[in-house]
């Protein structure tokens, strides 16, 4: 029994029904049979614009998603759990800002931070600290700060404001999780301890962990990119020109745009800088909210930590990010 049981687990009997392979074959057959019809439908300008946005989001995010899964696999295979626990302060309240500042070390976007934060949880790091890292890493890493400085060459305070507001958002969300959060809101698979098997090469563990995380996260990235493409076509560009003299409305609109546009954190500063007629404060809100909560990040969080987690974490993060960016912006930028 001890020999046959593992084999039975690895090769369960195939259930009846339609699987992903059958669905793919049907979709390919439909695409071939009706290719002329699809070509005429897809020739519309709005569809071409949506397709461009979809491809751009995927192309921007995928390299950093791959980077995140590689880091995640490396943590699973080569970093013992006790090393991670000893690196952070024993006090969970102090571990939150320490994990947030550790986000400086990962030059990636939000897609990269999701699998890494899950691996940190699986290695025994407190969820509050892992979530602080998740929010801080895509917003305060050196690449993002340099891109922000290049995008706003005449506004050096914008770089500090983004760093401070993003780090403050990460810490506040970590402390809120310590106070009100529950591990029951996180899917069991995200908390299940993962360690390298003694009989298995650490390189094999690394490859398998990275492959699993990449396959799982890529599907949700595609869903988020699709949502971003749809909203990018629906929102008229003319609306942006009418917000210059309405500060409160501009803050709300820019926060919502950050969610639905789902730009990569390395590129969003250039998009914000190119928006004419807007004060710096709404642009700062855009730069802080985007890496913390957008449609592709919500999809990735739902797939990684569960829908119950995303349904609670994303709305609160949205409100906290707005409050922190407005507060820091008023102090640093003077409401400009």
């Amino acid at each position: 029994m001890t020999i046959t049981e593992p084999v039975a687990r690895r090769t369960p009997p195939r259930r009846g029904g339609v699987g992903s392979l059958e669905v793919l074959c049907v979709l390919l057959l439909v695409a071939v049979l009706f290719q002329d019809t699809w070509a005429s439908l897809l020739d519309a300008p709005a569809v071409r614009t949506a397709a461009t946005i979809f491809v751009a989001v995927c192309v921007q995010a995928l390299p950093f998603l791959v980077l995140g899964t590689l880091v995640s696999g490396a943590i699973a295979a080569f970093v013992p759990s006790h090393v991670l626990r000893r690196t952070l302060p024993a006090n969970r309240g102090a571990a939150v800002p320490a994990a947030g500042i550790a986000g400086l070390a990962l030059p990636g976007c939000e897609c990269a931070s999701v699998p890494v934060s899950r691996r940190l949880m699986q290695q025994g790091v407190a969820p509050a600290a892992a979530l602080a890292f998740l929010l801080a890493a895509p917003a305060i890493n050196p690449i993002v700060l340099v891109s922000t400085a290049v995008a706003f060459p005449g506004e050096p305070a914008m770089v500090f404001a983004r760093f401070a507001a993003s780090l403050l958002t990460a810490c506040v969300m970590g402390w809120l999780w310590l106070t009100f959060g529950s591990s029951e809101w996180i899917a069991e698979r995200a908390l299940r301890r993962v360690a390298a098997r003694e009989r298995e090469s650490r390189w094999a563990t690394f490859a398998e962990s990275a492959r699993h995380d990449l396959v799982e996260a890529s599907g949700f990235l595609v869903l988020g990119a699709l949502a971003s493409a749809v909203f990018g076509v629906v929102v008229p560009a003319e609306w942006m020109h009418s917000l210059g003299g309405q500060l409160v409305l501009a803050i709300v609109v820019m926060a919502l745009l950050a969610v639905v546009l789902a730009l990569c954190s390395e590129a969003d500063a250039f998009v914000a800088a190119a928006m004419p007629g807007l004060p710096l404060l709404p642009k700062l809100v855009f730069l802080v909210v985007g890496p913390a909560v957008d449609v592709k990040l919500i999809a990735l969080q739902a797939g990684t930590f569960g829908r119950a987690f995303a349904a609670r974490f994303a709305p609160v993060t949205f409100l906290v990010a707005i409050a922190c960016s407005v507060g820091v912006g008023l102090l640093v930028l003077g409401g400009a």
Side-chain angles (χ1 to χ4, degrees), residues 27-220:
L27 291 177
L28 290 176
L29 181 60
V30 171
V32 172
L33 293 178
F34 300 96
Q35 56 181 325
D36 294 334
T37 303
W38 296 123
S40 60
L41 291 176
L42 297 177
D43 193 41
V47 176
R48 291 198 299 268
T49 301
T52 301
I53 297 174
F54 173 81
V55 173
V57 171
C58 290
V59 170
Q60 283 181 337
L62 189 58
F64 298 103
L65 179 61
V66 173
L67 172 64
T69 56
L70 292 177
V71 174
S72 172
I75 292 174
F78 303 110
V79 181
S81 58
H82 67 271
V83 172
L84 294 173
R85 289 194 295 269
R86 291 177 181 176
T87 301
L88 295 174
N91 183 279
R92 293 189 175 185
V96 168
I101 295 175
L104 284 166
L106 181 61
C109 70
E110 55 270 25
C111 299
S113 64
V114 172
V116 174
S117 61
R118 176 177 67 173
R119 192 65 63 185
L120 292 175
M121 292 184 190
Q122 291 175 336
Q123 294 288 67
V125 174
L131 294 177
F133 175 86
L134 182 152
L135 295 175
I140 68 171
N141 68 73
I143 294 179
V144 170
L145 297 180
V146 170
S147 69
T148 305
V150 173
F152 295 90
E155 301 291 344
M158 194 68 168
V159 180
F160 176 76
R162 182 176 193 179
F163 173 85
S166 298
L167 182 59
L168 181 60
T169 299
C171 293
V172 170
M173 286 304 300
W175 290 324
L176 286 177
W177 184 269
L178 274 179
T179 306
F180 303 105
S182 172
S183 59
E184 296 179 356
W185 298 343
I186 302 178
E188 182 182 355
R189 64 180 180 274
L191 296 175
R192 190 179 299 119
R193 295 294 178 89
V194 176
R197 300 175 183 175
E198 294 181 359
R199 297 181 180 180
E200 192 173 80
S201 167
R202 291 187 178 272
W203 286 105
T205 301
F206 165 75
E208 176 61 23
S209 299
R211 182 201 63 79
H212 176 271
D213 289 346
L214 179 61
V215 171
E216 187 175 81
S218 296
F220 292 95

Side-chain angles (χ1 to χ4, degrees), residues 243-254 278-282 330 335-336:
L243 296 176
Q246 306 179 52
L247 185 61
V248 175
L249 181 60
I251 290 173
V252 174
V253 170
M254 291 297 286
L278 286 178
L280 290 179
L281 185 58
L330 291 175

Side-chain angles (χ1 to χ4, degrees), residues 255-326:
L256 293 175
L257 280 180
V259 174
V260 299
L261 291 181
L263 299 173
C264 187
S265 58
E266 278 78 10
D268 58 0
F270 298 97
V271 176
M275 293 181 179
L278 286 178
L280 290 179
L281 185 58
K283 294 182 179 182
L284 175 63
V285 172
F286 181 85
L287 297 180
V288 174
V289 172
V293 51
D294 60 36
V295 289
K296 75 174 184 296
L297 184 56
I298 294 172
L300 286 169
Q301 290 177 355
T304 303
F305 302 111
R307 286 177 292 181
F309 170 85
R312 294 172 172 87
F313 190 75
V316 178
T317 303
F318 178 74
L319 297 176
V320 170
I322 293 177
C324 291
S325 54
V326 170

